[in-house]
Amino acid sequence: MQSVVNAALEGEGEIKYVKLCSSDGHEFIVTRKAAMVSGTIKDMLSGPGTFSESHSNMINFREIQSHILEKVVKYFYYKVQYANSTTEIPGFPIEPENSLQLLMTSDFLDC
């Protein structure tokens, strides 16, 4: 199974996907394009530094729970979908009970 995941992450020599891991062990496989919505993730994957994440294409978020990371991933895809939209953009739903955690996470991830 692990080789299948690795093949999906690499996709014919070109890296197409990134694995984001939450503090409670959930893994989200996200397109690289969507993950690059985050300035922090973009720097980790392609910045001038030598982050280990740029080689493994896997980022562990020890402080972000899965229900928050899931919402962030949904926002990445929302942002990609409506990036160059000429129509009215629908609001992105955020539950009030998660708003503070999402605000702190989005600040950390620069998205």
Side-chain angles (χ1 to χ4, degrees), residues 74-92:
K74 287 179 180 179
Y75 175 75
F76 291 167
Y77 284 107
Y78 169 88
K79 180 84 173 183
V80 168
Q81 180 180 357
Y82 294 107
N84 297 316
S85 179
T86 57
T87 62
E88 185 174 337
I89 299 172
F92 185 77

Side-chain angles (χ1 to χ4, degrees), residues 20-21 34-44 59-65 68-76 101-111:
L20 307 179
C21 304
M36 294 296 201
V37 166
S38 163
T40 302
I41 293 174
K42 184 176 182 178
D43 289 344
M44 292 172 106
I59 302 174
N60 289 302
F61 293 108
R62 295 185 192 118
E63 301 294 323
I64 304 175
Q65 296 176 333
I68 298 297
L69 189 54
E70 178 181 19
K71 194 69 164 182
V72 169
V73 168
K74 287 179 180 179
Y75 175 75
F76 291 167
Q101 285 181 299
L102 283 167
L103 178 65
M104 292 188 309
T105 303
S106 66
D107 182 55
F108 169 71
L109 293 175
D110 188 27
C111 60

Side-chain angles (χ1 to χ4, degrees), residues 42-54:
K42 184 176 182 178
D43 289 344
M44 292 172 106
L45 295 176
S46 61
T50 56
F51 288 103
S52 63
E53 291 84 0
S54 65

Side-chain angles (χ1 to χ4, degrees), residues 9 19 51-59:
L9 291 175
K19 187 189 301 185
F51 288 103
S52 63
E53 291 84 0
S54 65
H55 301 291
S56 67
N57 295 306
M58 184 172 90
I59 302 174

